[in-house]
Amino acid sequence: MTSKPGIFVGKGEQEQILRLDYANRHGLIAGATGTGKTVTLQVLAEGFSRYGVPVFMADVKGDLAGLSRVGTPKAALTDRAESLGIADYQFQRYPTVFWDLFGEQGHPIRTTISDMGPLLLSRMLELNETQEGVLNVAFKVADDQGLLLLDLKDLRSVLNFVADNASALTAEYGTVRKVSVGAILRRLLVLQQQGGELFFGEPALKLSDLMRTDSNGHGFINILAADKLMQYPKLYATFMLWLVSELFEELPEIGDPEKPRLVFFFDEAHLLFEDAPKVLIDKVELVARLIRSKGIGIYFISQNPLDIPEDILGQLGNRVQHALRAYTPRDQKAVRAAAETFRTNPKLDTARAITELGVGEALISTLEDQGVPGVVHRIRICPPTSRIGPISPEERQSTTAESPFGPKYDRMIDRESAYEVLMARASQEEEGEVKEAPEYEPYERPHAPPREPSRIPRTRTSNRQTVVEAFAKSVVRSIGSSLGRKIVRGILGSIFKGS
């Protein structure tokens, strides 16, 4: 037994504790449907919250919302607590904030197109290599010119400008084919119909709002309503990856803290890696390896450990394995793979135990002194103290009404950005003169120095020039100017916010 503080997960021959000082070294929770993964998630979320560690998790089935309510006394729960030696088992609720990309079951979560970046947006839109290249050109033009890409109409306006002025921009940015722009615009239309218009815009989510504690020092449990979101798996996977990317880019390194700053649970993790190009998987692997030094723990939840790429699986030091069934050759391979990832316990046939586990049982291995994985143990999972299962719409509404974030996020704003600037410039061109660009409001992000506004020289156009031709020439003339500070993008393409 260690004296280090940690979360009591369950007990077999001995108690199993997830140490807080190693909780940022990531983890895996795996098992077939109906074997108890959700309750394990609930127990871990409760434990982190009690120790003042905020949590972010997606609620795919609506079952995790019960964390916001006091548990319902049941004989099965109290009996299990007694059998595990939990002397002070008491039901309670935990500070909870509900979020929803669609704004229906919680506060809206938004980000800007510019913050998402071309790499993740290409993944979301399922673009091919050529189309991704064109999207990169559009972002580069906008970045160089200080055009804010906040929402979908901003991106559409820049894409249309790039297509209309492809020949004028070729020398600086390379060839742009209008057919590729058309394909991207059609994908944007599909994304808009899926609810993307609600996700992209302002006010954008501030990560500090996910990392708060209540007056009792308990970490807030941030729950993303994902039942509707799961109908659009690419949107879900890209959003979750964007959030990890933002945490990585924005937070300073702190090494191995006494407890994590935030624990991030990535449910349905197979969606992240399904059909993903190798370049993206490599970057995810790099972020997962480096983000732990920023105090962030990432826990992947999946039915099958084979869903996680091997290089990433090797970084998941804390593991909870629920039952797997070995009906098919692939199932049998998954059982063997899961067994081989544990440190051997001579008293336990790991592969056989995986197929025999009952609901609420699991195999567990957590990191011990010096970060060494402990031997695998078979345990019964500790019962949660909050409610198991969903809550009513009225209860959800009540919790959301108590949240301090309603006034901040519930109302969308639409400030001047690329769409408005391009429309204004086009209007000026129609009057026969290119005027100075307006002073752009800096794109405020932590640790990022403000960008000086780029300016377009005052010049008179020829009557033979179209509006877009004249504007395109002024844009090309200003490219490479010492005026303005170019945006720097991080590993996954989001705006770099480090010092």
Side-chain angles (χ1 to χ4, degrees), residues 299-313:
Y299 287 70
F300 295 95
I301 298 95
S302 183
Q303 292 189 26
N304 192 329
L306 293 179
D307 294 333
I308 312 297
E310 187 174 351
D311 289 342
I312 296 176
L313 191 64

Side-chain angles (χ1 to χ4, degrees), residues 68-89:
S68 65
R69 290 290 177 269
V70 176
T72 304
K74 294 181 180 179
L77 299 177
T78 55
D79 289 348
R80 172 164 289 208
E82 182 178 352
S83 69
L84 296 178
I86 304 175
D88 57 346
Y89 183 66

Side-chain angles (χ1 to χ4, degrees), residues 435-495:
K435 300 179 181 179
E436 286 190 341
E439 293 283 346
Y440 301 123
E441 181 180 348
Y443 194 31
E444 297 179 357
R445 287 290 175 181
H447 314 299
R451 222 176 30 244
E452 297 179 11
S454 61
R455 297 183 180 276
I456 296 178
R458 184 183 298 273
T459 179
R460 186 165 298 278
T461 63
S462 165
N463 290 334
R464 291 189 297 272
Q465 289 180 315
T466 67
V467 173
V468 291
E469 286 171 343
F471 179 44
K473 289 182 179 180
S474 69
V475 168
V476 173
R477 282 196 299 271
S478 66
I479 290 171
S481 168
S482 60
L483 294 176
R485 186 183 302 274
K486 291 184 179 180
I487 289 176
V488 178
R489 295 190 175 274
I491 291 177
L492 290 175
S494 62
I495 295 176

Side-chain angles (χ1 to χ4, degrees), residues 10-14 16 321 345 348-349 352-358 361-365 375-381:
K11 182 178 179 182
E13 291 185 348
Q14 61 188 46
Q16 293 299 309
Q321 176 68 59
N345 182 343
L348 183 67
D349 184 340
R352 180 177 178 179
I354 289 175
T355 63
E356 295 177 345
L357 292 169
E361 287 188 306
L363 300 183
I364 185 171
S365 172
V375 299
V376 61
H377 288 276
R378 181 172 180 170
I379 65 169
R380 300 177 71 203
I381 297 293

Side-chain angles (χ1 to χ4, degrees), residues 88-101:
D88 57 346
Y89 183 66
Q90 296 180 350
F91 295 100
Q92 64 181 100
R93 60 179 294 186
Y94 294 82
T96 305
V97 180
F98 292 117
W99 302 92
D100 185 358
L101 263 64

Side-chain angles (χ1 to χ4, degrees), residues 215-374:
S215 57
N216 295 319
H218 290 173
F220 271 94
I221 299 175
N222 300 277
I223 298 180
L224 175 70
D227 48 351
K228 180 178 178 181
L229 183 59
M230 291 307 297
Q231 299 174 29
Y232 312 107
K234 282 292 191 296
L235 178 60
Y236 166 75
T238 307
F239 162 73
M240 298 290 273
L241 187 53
W242 163 80
L243 190 52
V244 172
S245 172
E246 286 290 287
L247 291 166
F248 175 78
E249 300 293 354
E250 189 164 316
L251 297 177
E253 292 193 13
I254 59 173
D256 283 324
E258 293 183 357
K259 62 182 181 181
R261 283 173 164 170
L262 176 73
V263 171
F264 185 91
F265 289 100
F266 201 139
D267 204 356
E268 300 293 340
H270 68 281
L271 295 175
L272 171 60
F273 307 108
E274 207 167 57
D275 302 323
K278 186 177 186 302
V279 62
L280 179 59
I281 292 178
D282 289 344
K283 291 184 177 183
V284 173
E285 187 269 335
L286 180 61
V287 168
R289 178 160 49 86
L290 298 178
I291 200 173
R292 78 180 196 189
S293 66
K294 303 193 176 191
I296 305 298
I298 303 175
Y299 287 70
F300 295 95
I301 298 95
S302 183
Q303 292 189 26
N304 192 329
L306 293 179
D307 294 333
I308 312 297
E310 187 174 351
D311 289 342
I312 296 176
L313 191 64
Q315 298 182 45
L316 311 182
N318 301 294
R319 303 191 180 188
V320 180
Q321 176 68 59
H322 288 272
L324 290 174
R325 307 309 176 199
Y327 299 132
T328 68
R330 186 177 187 275
D331 293 339
Q332 294 166 6
K333 181 180 179 181
V335 169
R336 290 193 299 271
E340 290 169 359
T341 61
F342 286 108
R343 180 180 167 189
T344 303
N345 182 343
K347 299 180 181 179
L348 183 67
D349 184 340
T350 306
R352 180 177 178 179
I354 289 175
T355 63
E356 295 177 345
L357 292 169
V359 176
E361 287 188 306
L363 300 183
I364 185 171
S365 172
T366 58
L367 297 177
E368 299 178 345
D369 291 337
Q370 308 301 318
V372 176

Side-chain angles (χ1 to χ4, degrees), residues 9-85:
V9 183
K11 182 178 179 182
E13 291 185 348
Q14 61 188 46
E15 293 184 349
Q16 293 299 309
I17 305 294
L18 174 61
R19 283 176 49 166
L20 291 180
D21 56 342
Y22 292 132
N24 66 315
R25 299 198 180 185
H26 311 323
L28 172 69
I29 302 170
T33 300
T35 56
K37 296 194 301 296
T38 300
V39 170
T40 298
L41 281 174
Q42 193 166 343
V43 168
L44 293 179
E46 291 179 353
F48 283 121
S49 179
R50 285 194 297 269
Y51 277 105
V53 179
V55 169
F56 185 93
M57 59 203 322
D59 191 2
V60 174
K61 298 178 291 185
D63 292 343
L64 293 171
L67 283 157
S68 65
R69 290 290 177 269
V70 176
T72 304
K74 294 181 180 179
L77 299 177
T78 55
D79 289 348
R80 172 164 289 208
E82 182 178 352
S83 69
L84 296 178

